[in-house]
Amino acid sequence: MAWFRRESGDVEATGEKRVRTEGLWVKCEGCRQVIWKKDLDANFNVCPKCERHFRIDARQRIELLLDEGSYQLEDLNLSSSDPLKFVDVRAYSERLKKTQAETGLKDAIINAEGKLADRPVMLSAMEYSFIGGSMGAVVGEVITRAIERSVAQKKPLIIVSASGGARMMEGVVSLMQMVKITAALARLDEVKVPYISVLTDPTTGGVTASYAMLGDLNIAEPGALIGFAGPRVIEQTIRQKLPEGFQRSEFLLEHGMLDAIVHRKEMKTYIARALDFMMPSNGAKN
Ligand SMILES: [Zn+2]
């Protein structure tokens, strides 16, 4: 039996939007200018005119941070068992199959083990295009495995978040991942191995409320949406208008919720320097 029923109308994306953005030109949402797609690609998918950071996928993120040819991808075969047999406008199992076919991934995360500017690291990168980068049992397990390897091999951990939060279709099972990952991070803390959290656009909900904010260093890309509940829900609860730029990286940095905002171009160098500071014995000898 379906939990919710929609009276009429089909909300499926028609694919029309996708066709437009896959052309040679892209319109920047930041400055409204039209940019040549190749210029955007050559500039780390950052608008050359206004520095707006476009979303990139997990594979691009790994390529950006790890040294070419130095890494291997791990835990790619874990897939959700649909524990609640969840159905809304359509079955979660079907949604999973479709998204898996579109993204070539089993779930919203990729683990990679390799080197960042010659320093051995564990990296988990979230994939926003997989059901909004939502955190279900698979994301929880994959991140936990990365943490456990970090603990065993004393390799620093980097998690790049891009997520709408917990995966609704896995209900309480997805909420349990917050605890599971947090407990694993506590073990990482005990063995004194650093964890750097990179928050990208968007990082919200249960992901913000757990591992994304638990880094020894919490850094974000410029202009990223970061928050727990959405602005409208907060406004209705506190009955106040929220300030301009609320829940963007810059606002959070100003209010002490982040340690730094780092431009995508500088991210690798910044993390390498931070690791040298936090774990000098792990660093590359330059
Ligand atoms: Zn722009």
Side-chain angles (χ1 to χ4, degrees):
M1 188 195 81
W3 285 28
F4 307 106
R5 242 177 244 291
R6 192 176 291 272
E7 291 295 322
S8 62
D10 190 3
V11 290
E12 293 302 304
T14 54
E16 195 188 329
K17 209 171 175 184
R18 178 176 296 256
V19 174
R20 261 188 232 145
T21 54
E22 271 180 359
L24 288 170
W25 300 90
V26 182
K27 189 171 177 188
C28 174
E29 293 290 323
C31 61
R32 305 258 150 214
Q33 301 245 29
V34 176
I35 323 160
W36 197 31
K37 183 87 168 54
K38 276 198 175 163
D39 282 347
L40 191 64
D41 291 342
N43 198 39
F44 302 88
N45 277 286
V46 174
C47 172
K49 288 169 181 146
C50 74
E51 303 285 307
R52 183 192 167 90
H53 284 51
F54 284 66
R55 284 176 189 160
I56 58 173
D57 65 28
R59 292 182 184 90
Q60 286 174 300
R61 186 64 68 176
I62 293 167
E63 282 168 23
L64 211 68
L65 291 178
L66 299 185
D67 305 343
E68 205 184 331
S70 79
Y71 62 86
Q72 67 204 49
L73 305 182
E74 287 165 329
D75 310 308
L76 291 170
N77 290 320
L78 295 178
S79 153
S80 175
S81 62
D82 186 10
L84 305 181
K85 305 287 169 242
F86 192 87
V87 178
D88 45 47
V89 286
R90 63 192 161 119
Y92 172 44
S93 56
E94 281 167 30
R95 201 184 292 260
L96 272 174
K97 261 184 233 153
K98 185 168 177 273
T99 314
Q100 285 169 346
E102 280 168 3
T103 58
L105 292 175
K106 295 275 190 216
D107 215 290
I109 189 137
I110 306 181
N111 269 354
E113 189 169 354
K115 290 188 168 177
L116 181 147
D118 278 340
R119 294 143 182 89
V121 293
M122 296 296 318
L123 172 67
S124 283
M126 299 191 75
E127 175 57 65
Y128 187 72
S129 65
F130 196 105
I131 316 185
S134 51
M135 169 186 60
V138 172
V139 167
E141 175 62 18
V142 169
I143 292 183
T144 305
R145 288 186 184 189
I147 301 170
E148 283 170 348
R149 286 190 202 108
S150 277
V151 171
Q153 303 172 34
K154 302 275 194 303
K155 277 185 193 171
L157 171 75
I158 300 152
I159 302 177
V160 182
S161 297
S163 172
R167 187 169 296 170
M168 186 192 76
M169 303 83 155
E170 293 189 19
V172 72
V173 177
S174 71
L175 295 182
M176 282 157 61
Q177 308 312 312
M178 297 166 70
V179 191
K180 174 168 163 168
I181 298 170
T182 305
L185 284 174
R187 288 201 299 276
L188 188 66
D189 187 53
E190 278 163 22
V191 295
K192 296 185 165 49
V193 172
Y195 159 41
I196 297 179
S197 173
V198 181
L199 295 89
T200 70
D201 186 58
T203 299
T204 59
V207 169
T208 311
S210 58
Y211 55 90
M213 284 294 184
L214 289 175
D216 295 301
L217 199 59
N218 297 325
I219 56 184
E221 286 193 334
L225 174 73
I226 299 165
F228 179 62
R232 207 170 32 169
V233 175
I234 302 173
E235 278 184 340
Q236 282 169 0
T237 309
I238 64 171
R239 293 167 192 278
Q240 276 182 38
K241 194 100 189 91
L242 292 166
E244 186 71 22
F246 178 72
Q247 291 186 326
R248 293 283 161 188
S249 320
E250 293 72 15
F251 188 93
L252 271 81
L253 179 71
E254 214 172 286
H255 291 80
M257 296 288 285
L258 289 174
D259 295 305
I261 295 175
V262 183
H263 194 287
R264 193 174 287 160
K265 254 187 248 180
E266 314 287 332
M267 191 61 85
K268 186 171 177 175
T269 326
Y270 186 96
I271 294 176
R273 210 161 21 141
L275 289 177
D276 287 350
F277 177 74
M278 293 194 282
M279 206 184 187
S281 56
N282 182 65
K285 309 282 177 279
N286 298 316

